[in-house]
Amino acid sequence: ELGAVLGGDGSLLRLMGGSLSASCDARVPLRDGRPVFGRSEGGLFLTLRGGILEHSLPMLRASRLEGLGGRMELIWKKNSLELRQCSLDNAVLQLQAEGRAALAPAAGDSRLDVRAVLRLAPEQLREELTPARTFQSFTSKGEARVRISGTARRPSIELQS
């Protein structure tokens, strides 16, 4: 489970199925024939097809999303991870995100600063399908802005008007 690897058992997102392709470009300097990971840099590029995602995001009542497709581009340099592009969509939602994380020795202690735009299909914006607080945060275009901060272990999710 990708989510368990990235965020532990209590993670907000768990990728449970689908097809994930990945490519990686890494530069790791050597000192005396040994890798120096603290000075490494590179990128990770992911593509998801037919994904099944379980989540505990408070802004959606359905805790399982299916038929997801998307792309993600992560760039790391020293102790920083940049989310340059993240797009995820299916028949119900579209998500676009970007941001960064200041990496800590323990992955769960890494500090997050991510901003996202969540778009829901009009039929999903009815109050009985979306929690009231979330429903009020969506614009007439069916989109809400989301900020994720805190740490990877204890993220804070804020809906912005």
Side-chain angles (χ1 to χ4, degrees), residues 11-12 63 120 153:
S11 63
L12 289 172
S63 62
L120 290 180
R153 182 178 295 118

Side-chain angles (χ1 to χ4, degrees), residues 147-160:
R147 180 167 187 249
I148 302 170
S149 58
T151 64
R153 182 178 295 118
R154 291 185 167 230
S156 171
I157 300 171
E158 176 187 345
L159 283 167
Q160 300 176 329

Side-chain angles (χ1 to χ4, degrees), residues 14-93:
R14 290 181 161 249
L15 185 58
M16 303 300 289
S19 170
L20 186 64
S21 3
S23 64
C24 181
D25 171 33
R27 290 166 294 287
V28 181
L30 300 174
R31 182 181 306 139
D32 298 324
R34 295 179 180 240
V36 181
F37 292 108
R39 298 179 123 189
S40 66
E41 58 183 47
L44 177 64
F45 311 94
L46 302 170
T47 302
L48 175 65
R49 290 183 183 85
I52 299 169
L53 183 73
E54 290 182 354
H55 69 87
S56 57
L57 296 171
M59 69 272 309
L60 299 173
R61 290 206 184 190
S63 62
R64 184 177 175 103
L65 300 169
E66 298 183 3
L68 292 166
R71 300 177 61 89
M72 182 181 295
E73 180 180 343
L74 294 165
I75 305 297
W76 79 88
K77 290 183 181 179
K78 296 186 182 179
N79 295 324
S80 177
L81 182 65
E82 179 184 355
L83 176 61
R84 280 200 183 157
Q85 172 197 358
C86 178
S87 62
L88 192 64
D89 61 75
N90 71 359
V92 175
L93 66 84

Side-chain angles (χ1 to χ4, degrees), residues 136-155:
Q136 295 166 0
S137 297
F138 276 84
T139 66
S140 60
K141 296 178 185 177
E143 66 181 44
R145 301 210 176 272
V146 180
R147 180 167 187 249
I148 302 170
S149 58
T151 64
R153 182 178 295 118
R154 291 185 167 230

